[in-house]
Structures are given as structure tokens and as C-alpha cells.
Amino acid sequence: MFNTFGNILKLTTFGESHGVAIGGVIDGFPAGLKVNFEAIQQELNRRKPGQSKIVTQRKEPDQVEFLSGIFDGVTTGTSIGFIIKNTNQKSKDYNHNTNVYRPSHADYTYDKKFGVRDYRGGGRTSARETANWVVAGALAKQLIAHISINAYTSSVGDIFLEKPYQSLDFSKIEENIVRCPDVEFATKMIDKIKDIRKQGDTIGGTITCVVQNVPLGLGEPIFSKLHAELGRAMLSINAVKGFEFGSGFCGAKMTGSEHNDIFNKDGSTESNLSGGIQEEYLMVWIFILELPSSRLQLLCKTSLP
Amino acid sequence: MFNTFGNILKLTTFGESHGVAIGGVIDGFPAGLKVNFEAIQQELNRRKPGQSKIVTQRKEPDQVEFLSGIFDGVTTGTSIGFIIKNTNQKSKDYNHNTNVYRPSHADYTYDKKFGVRDYRGGGRTSARETANWVVAGALAKQLIAHISINAYTSSVGDIFLEKPYQSLDFSKIEENIVRCPDVEFATKMIDKIKDIRKQGDTIGGTITCVVQNVPLGLGEPIFSKLHAELGRAMLSINAVKGFEFGSGFCGAKMTGSEHNDIFNKDGSTESNLSGGIQEEYLMVWIFILELPSSRLQLLCKTSLP
Amino acid sequence: MFNTFGNILKLTTFGESHGVAIGGVIDGFPAGLKVNFEAIQQELNRRKPGQSKIVTQRKEPDQVEFLSGIFDGVTTGTSIGFIIKNTNQKSKDYNHNTNVYRPSHADYTYDKKFGVRDYRGGGRTSARETANWVVAGALAKQLIAHISINAYTSSVGDIFLEKPYQSLDFSKIEENIVRCPDVEFATKMIDKIKDIRKQGDTIGGTITCVVQNVPLGLGEPIFSKLHAELGRAMLSINAVKGFEFGSGFCGAKMTGSEHNDIFNKDGSTESNLSGGIQEEYLMVWIFILELPSSRLQLLCKTSLP
Amino acid sequence: MFNTFGNILKLTTFGESHGVAIGGVIDGFPAGLKVNFEAIQQELNRRKPGQSKIVTQRKEPDQVEFLSGIFDGVTTGTSIGFIIKNTNQKSKDYNHNTNVYRPSHADYTYDKKFGVRDYRGGGRTSARETANWVVAGALAKQLIAHISINAYTSSVGDIFLEKPYQSLDFSKIEENIVRCPDVEFATKMIDKIKDIRKQGDTIGGTITCVVQNVPLGLGEPIFSKLHAELGRAMLSINAVKGFEFGSGFCGAKMTGSEHNDIFNKDGSTESNLSGGIQEEYLMVWIFILELPSSRLQLLCKTSLP
């Protein structure tokens, strides 16, 4: 099941960037949830390319259509099928060069692996697939409304937001086009991207995600620990090259006595360097390098199933 | 299936540090392989604690017994059951303090999650579980003898081996107790660990793994990309806090033009910053922070299924 | 994964009888097959209600639309998404009686299980779901063209076709509306059904399926033996109440010496009472009781994934 | 995962009849159950060959050893590993004839499929594997003590117990060696088997299983309906050639009006011909043909996971 992700909720997806439609099936979704369709569409809009001057200008409406599993606006407990039509599928803007492979893309690998090439574009490897994940994630989020999930751009190139997440106001993430909650750093990042774009180039960056109010003990030993499943999910996103949680790679330089999460009397810990699901927050750092820098902020706050 | 890992070969494991035995079942292993039992035992010996002065002195023989799936030394195509008896299961060295939880360990979380506590030790959360993985990994390696897998300690605390892996001689990895192929850096790392041990403390570090001769296109879209599956596997190891591949987190500071993997005429690329499975090598960086520093080198070269 | 079936090819389905569309995702389909779309549509037409006077008159066009995984008529190795629109979804012909449950249907059970009711019709429990299976089965059949699969109506009520399948001409199955290859028995069956319909009633029956040229050893021990997987598939069809293979229930009256499949010198056996996958044929008997007798022949020859 | 069965509880098994041991891993078992080990051993004893004069005389102690997942007699929520040692593994009683294949057994098929032969006996295909299922089933039964499961021999050759299950006293099943709750029919069956044994032959039969107090709506649409999963499980047992539930094959001769399960006011139905999980009982008929007749009663009441 290589096109399926998840344990309790399972998402199975299909679709190529230039086919008729992309979509998926969500299995295991409980009955009785009154669906907020607008909230789903809002998340899709946030993912959509072409929203600001610092990103690619390709426009796709990305309207999700639910085909089953929801009746009178309420989930029925049966599998939820959905599609997003590809309105841009004419592929006028692509050369039908079947012998040209884009560097750092999967074109060449797919061609050799499958022996068949969809020369219209990225095909199944296109990051357009993440729109399917946003649909499933936005729906799943409505089941766990008490868990707070906030992601923001924490670096662009060598500009790092050097502030602890506890000092940030997450409500400001949406106030700028680079989705960094700190105005000063946001401005620097935007200037950096504009600069790079003038040179006809793109730039990498990192996303930080803070998840709060996670139930103690979420995830399952031995191979479905929460951080292992999150790692697999994040590393499935196009252009992501690394994943860390808790102290992350910084912890490699620390001693055990510096790193130990001392317990408080109420079961919480002084820090959460270990990233354990033992208290009220979990900190996840993900790293994304996207060659078209336009994609950078689109992945902010993407909630995966 | 939370105690199962793998797609083609599937490993299902069981066992606690102070129970009768740990073990597992390997499903999907093809018939007809003449098993090299000595090679499996050698890998288990490499994992075993207590091998040098810089690590914990607890000794366990870790002798694997195969119970099925192998007849006259040859695999039969049926499921392979195996166990490793726990000879140290007396647990004399553990206080039966059911109210004390070790910081940065899962004791507290397990107790709250399951409502039952095995106060004898780490139980199912013990890194002793990795012995099961070594058995399965060592057996799986015999199926893919043409793929070369080399892992080594690339940093201890702030001592980083600042040499490209292409310049290292992997045959020297086993020549020192810290398993770093560069003698000069190995000495520095060992001195650092001895120092830290004198202070009664431990120290973190990183492991680098280089996999060569990987078949083009290994892994499956969309959710079983090789790097996503490797990420999940590595993040399942106790104390691992991060995973990166290709350019990794360094890539976040690079521009698209610097990062692009330009194709050579034969389909190989100039670099493999993208970490794609499109040519002859794949570079994987994993990061491990282990509070007892003794565990550091034990995880080197662990080949997971 | 309760809406998923299959091991090598996996079908995940969705859809209710009165929703927008039904459909599914086929995962694991190999690249490079030139798809015969007409053959798929033909199988869908065979399943479609309303084809003859002896069945229900509801008409649905059942036009399958492939959304992904096929490019220029050739499979690409990526997941194949498809939908069949429900053109009859107005549900004028259903009373909106939310308190009336049809006997021997799942209406009551679903209502109690999920707490939500789609009063427009059978919803997810409708046999319309089998149209999804026909799409996947018809596509899968194109991969195994060398295996011959023939199913026919072997009984209607107490009229049993008492001839061994070896004496039947399978090419005649489609020549009559009850899909029985023997003209004499077909006429009796049709008369029986017409009779029962005049009384405003319906009647049960059985389907026999003969699969020939099955590769030796198909299926996997221990829990995916071919007959166990076929049994699960057939028992998933609405109204099927039993499944037998090889000698089936008749074998329960036989002695071991009567039942033993004696080997011929070439590895084939004199009979295949044991139903083993050891020679050139496998005989599968399935039993279907469908209250609207109209559904009876629709399930003939349904090829499941 | 061909050696794995189950959805909520998952059993993964291994082992050959003449290997060191058979065994398995139970994944997903909840924490906190005080295990009744004696009850498990009792079920194993019931399965054991050699218990009466009408069966094969081979004796195996079949002592289960739990290796993990249970601490101080209570399940811990982690995977439960167990083994049953093969004390009869000397295989003195088997000819090392690698070219002789037993008819109606999988010897020939395995040899051709895997290219490797364990000539000591049935190997992985031996019905000894069912001992693993009994361990898992007996443990699972302790979780669902309120559900009553009773199986009995309902026919031997042409002797059929022609009484509705409602008129039988299940407490008498264990009172005779053929495990038929009706003394008169039990005597006839035993005489029949003794007769057949004198002729050096064996005889088939059927098992009926009655499950009561099943929770409404158990099982999951579309492919894990309870009867489909039960069918797969029963058809996995060696020598089972058919499975029916509810009205079963008898229903094929009935009209819709005869077959309909009319609802009573309390939601129960007048009959349960449809076999639905909508009321207090589910009736399952399974058919077993076992060439050594000795195995016949051993499978009675086997509760599968």
C-alpha cells in the first residue's frame, strides 16, 4: 500500500499534475462529525501557488469535491472519497521534450523505474499531490480541535529566527506573505527572497511546527512512535531533506546532564529536549529545501493525517 | 501492526529487557538462501554492550536461536521465527521502585498509557529491542550483498569529522572502539568520552551512513519513498532525535542553483545533494543522542530491514 | 483498511448508491499495460441492472472514468483513480422514511452502528458497490489473460444443473438471460424466475466459477491461501451466504480413500477434490441468495481483484 | 503479511511440524487483563492429537511458553511472544523419501513453489500450526467472556444431527469423544468412525458453531464484514472445503418471502436466515473434511482471533 498513509485514519491517494483530477479515499473516519467545509477550503487556499509576488504565478482553483461518506454535512462512518479537478491540465506551458529531465526532480528516476513517461509535467511526483494531504489533514484537524498545531517559517537561507517558540505570537503567522510570526524577521526573509528572485534563483529554508495539548502517550511502540510517523510523513513532502524533534541535532553536542528532562511534581518536565509525548507540548522541526522558493510558505501549517 | 516494520520483508518483534526472551518473526523472506549464521552473530556481537572501556559494563551473550523457516541451513520461504534469551533477567541491579521514573525515558509515559508497569527495567522500551533488528537486518543484508552499507561515528559532542565520506577508508571503521574511520579524529573522540565519563556524565554524537550501489528507483511513491522509510526506521531507534539525507539541513542555506544536481551524460549526477535514488550512491545522515554514551557506537552499521 | 482488498493489487473503494459518485483507487498496478477500455465497459454493462425482463428495471449507465495512472492509454505504475457517477441520485423512488428498515438488509444495523442514516437508499451497503469491483477486476483480468475464468448460474431454486463443468460449453453462457451454458436448464430456470415474479416474489440460486490455467502454487501460506482469499472476496458480495471449493460440502460425506487426489506421473491429479493449486484447474463454487432475483445473473463472471 | 491474521488483535505465526518450536506474536492486545493460563492450556489439550481411541495416537505435550507481554500474570499492552516446543521433532516415523508426495496435501505444491523441501513431515503446512491459533484464540476469548461460542460435530459421513441448535444442550459437548451434544447421534457417529477405521479408512464431517451475544454491528464494511473474515479464517484451517452462515446453501432453494428476516419490535428478528449481526446470535456452519478422521473433533470450538 504505497499510496496509503495512516493508522487510525488512512488516506489513499491518486493523481497526476496534468491528469483529469487528483483525489483520495479517507478510510476509518468516524461517523457524526459536522464537517466545516469552509475550513477545508481555506487550508487548500493557503497551499495554493500564486498567492503573492514572491511565489510562482501559476493559478489553480483547487476546489475539493466530496463524493461519499458525508450526508447532510455529517460524516457517516463510511469511506470518504474526494477529488480536486485539474483545471490547468492543458499543459501548454510544458515542452513535450521527453528526453529532458529536470535536475533534482524524479523525472529521470520515474522514467527508468516504470519505463513510461508522462512528459506533461511532474505527473505523480508533482507537489500538487500535497493538496490531497491538505484535504485529509484539514478534515482530520476537525476531529482533534483541542490539539493546537502551529507551523511557521523559521529560516530562509541564512536568516534564522533566533527566538524560542514560547516568545512568539502564533496569531501573527498569517499576517505576512512569508508566514513568519515575527514582523522584523519576516521583513528580512521577504527581502531575501525578492533579492534571490531578481537573480533568477531560489532559496531554501526551514519550517518549525509546534504541537500543543497532545494527549500523553500518543503514538504506538515500537515502530509507530509519534516522532517516527511524523518523520515519515514530513520526509514524504517533496523537497524535504531532514527532520528533527525535541532537541534535534543541537542535542548531539550536549551532555546527558544538560539534556535530561527533569520531571516536575505534576508529571510535566522542565524542558522537552527529549521530545517525549509526556506533557503538554511537542516540538517538531522540519526542514524544507524547495527549488522554486514559491513553495516555501505553502507548506506552512500543512496538517498531515 | 505497531510491532511490525517493512514492506517486502516484514519483521514483527516482541520482548522486554527483563523477560524470558526477546525475538521476532520475519515474513516474506525468499526460499533458497544459504544462511551465514556466523555473520549474523558477528553483527549481534558488535551491538552488544560491554565491549570496551568507554561503555557500560553490562554483559549479555545475545545468542540468536532460529526456530523455523530455515532447514539444513537454507531458507524455506516460510516465516522465520527467532529468539534471543535474556540471561540477565534476574534484575538484581534494579530497585523495585515503582514510583521513580528515569528522566528522558519512557517509564512515566508507559505507566500512564498502559496503566501497568514492569518495574524491572526498561521493559519493551529498552534499547535491547534493537538486537531483534540486528538479527533481521543481518539476515536481510545477505540478500543484498552487492549493496554496500557503511556507517561510522561522525561526531562526538563538538568534535566533528570534517572530511567528505569519499576521502575515508571504510575498512578502518572497526579498528578503534569509537568506530570512526579516521584515526586522528577517533583518538579525539575517545579522549572526549573518557573525559566526560570521569565527570560521571555522557555525551551525544552523530552517525553517518553511506549506502552504495543502490538500485535506481528503489522505494515506492508516494508514502514509501526510500528516505521516508529510512527516516521512520532511524527515528524508531531509542535516543535518535533527527534524520537528514542528501544535503540535509545544510541545504536550507543554499540557493537552487547551488543545490541542483546536474545530470552527467550517463544519467549519474555531479553531486547527490537531492539524495535521489538515481545513481550509484545514497548518503544518509542520522543523528543519535544517547545519554549513556556507551550506546553510541553500538548502533553503527545497524542494518535495518 | 476496511475498504481495501487485495495483496499485490489493492483496491480501495468509496461511494453510496445515492451519492455523487462511487469509485476507487487501484494501487500496485504495474506500468506498461495497454488498457482495453471497451472490455472494462463491457463487464460493467454485464453487471448493470435492467438488462432483461426477468430483472429489476432500474437503469444506470455505469460509465467508468479513469482519473489517473493511465497516460496515452497505457498504465504508468502509479495509483489508478476512477469514478462512476450516480446519474440516478435523485432518489425520487425512495420514501424518506427514516424509521422503516428493510428486512435482511443492513439498514437497521448501520443506523445502530454509526448513529447516522442515509435514508435515500442502501447507501454504502448497496450492491452498487460491486460496480467498483467489476472495474478493478476487469482491469486485473487484462494482466492475467492466460488464466481462463468462467462463471455461470448452476441453480435457481430447486432447479440444479446436474452436469459436470467439463461437459459444458462456456461460450454459450452469454446466449441466454440467465447465463446458464446449458439451453435446456436455462429455459427451466428462466421459466421458474418468471413464475416467481408473477407471484411478486424472488428466488435464490448458486453460481459456479471455473478457473483454468492457474499457476501452480498461487496464494500464500498461512492466511492468504488462494481459497481463503477467494472465500473472503465472495462472502463480501451482498447476499452471498456460502462458499465452497474443490469437493465442497459433498466431500463431508466421502471417505478418505474416495476423496484422495491421486497424483499422475506429470504432477497433475486424477481429480481435484482437494481444490489444491497443484494442477491446471481450480473449481470454485459460490452460493448466492439475492432477494430481488434480478441481481442473480448480474454477479455471474464478476472477476474480483 | 501472509503469516498474519486479524484487525484489532493481530497474530503473526511461524513454525514447522518438525522444527525446534512453533509460535507467534500477538500484537494489539490491551493492557490489564489477568491471564487465565490454565484455560489456555485446556484449549490446547482439547486440540491435541491422541486423546481417544478413534484418533491418531501421536502424542505431543503442546505446552505453551509466553516470552513477553505479560508481567506478574497481567498483560502489559506490549506484543505477546509465545512458543510451543516440538518434542516429537526426531521425525523417526517419517521416511526421508524426498520424492514421495502425499495426495491431497501441499507437499508437492510447496516443493514446486519454493524449490526447497522439508522432507521431515508437513513442515509449515502441518495442521500443527493450528496450535498457534488456539493459543491466540484462547487468550482472545478471555477479552470477550460475555460472548458465548459453542462448536460441535454436526455430521460424520452421512450421519447428520437433524436438530436445531436451539434444542441442544451445549454443556454436553465435552461428554463424548466425538463432541456432539446429542448422545444418540454421538453414539452413531462414534460407531461410524470405528467402522471406517477398521477398514483402514477415514471419513469427513461438518462442524457447526453457534456464537451468541455478539455486539450489534460487529465487523466492518466493505471487506471486513464479520462473515467474510470468519470465512477466511475457517477456510485457512487445513482440510476445510466450505463455509456457510445464516441460511447457508439451504437458502439458495428458498424464495425471498420465505427467507426475509422480519423485524420484531425490539429490533431482533424472527429468524436469522440472513446471518446479520443485528441481534443476539450469529450462526456459523463450517465444513471440515479431514483425511485422518482423528483430526475431526480436534477442531471443535477452536476460537480463532
Side-chain angles (χ1 to χ4, degrees), chain C residues 49-63:
Chain C
Q51 299 178 70
S52 72
K53 289 179 186 168
I54 62 171
V55 301
T56 305
Q57 295 306 310
R58 198 163 73 118
K59 291 212 183 218
E60 297 167 287
D62 281 356
Q63 184 75 40

Side-chain angles (χ1 to χ4, degrees), chain A residues 113 201 217 225 236 252 257 287, chain B residues 113 201 217 225 236 252 257 287:
Chain A
K113 181 182 177 77
D201 211 339
K225 290 169 187 162
S236 296
S257 56
F287 164 83
Chain B
K113 181 181 176 76
D201 211 339
K225 290 170 187 160
S236 295
S257 55
F287 164 83

Side-chain angles (χ1 to χ4, degrees), chain C residues 243-278:
Chain C
F243 174 84
E244 55 179 13
F245 72 101
S247 62
F249 279 82
C250 293
K253 298 180 194 157
M254 295 166 75
T255 61
S257 55
E258 288 163 348
H259 196 276
N260 264 349
D261 280 345
I262 305 303
F263 280 103
N264 300 322
K265 286 201 174 165
D266 64 352
S268 69
T269 55
E270 284 183 12
S271 72
N272 193 12
L273 294 172
S274 66
I277 321 300
Q278 76 218 6

Side-chain angles (χ1 to χ4, degrees), chain B residues 226-237:
Chain B
L226 186 57
H227 55 257
E229 292 283 7
L230 280 174
R232 182 180 162 213
M234 296 305 148
L235 291 159
S236 295
I237 300 173

Side-chain angles (χ1 to χ4, degrees), chain C residues 129-146:
Chain C
E129 159 74 7
T130 57
N132 285 330
W133 309 352
V134 170
V135 171
L139 195 56
K141 262 171 82 170
Q142 300 185 19
L143 279 181
I144 49 166
H146 54 290

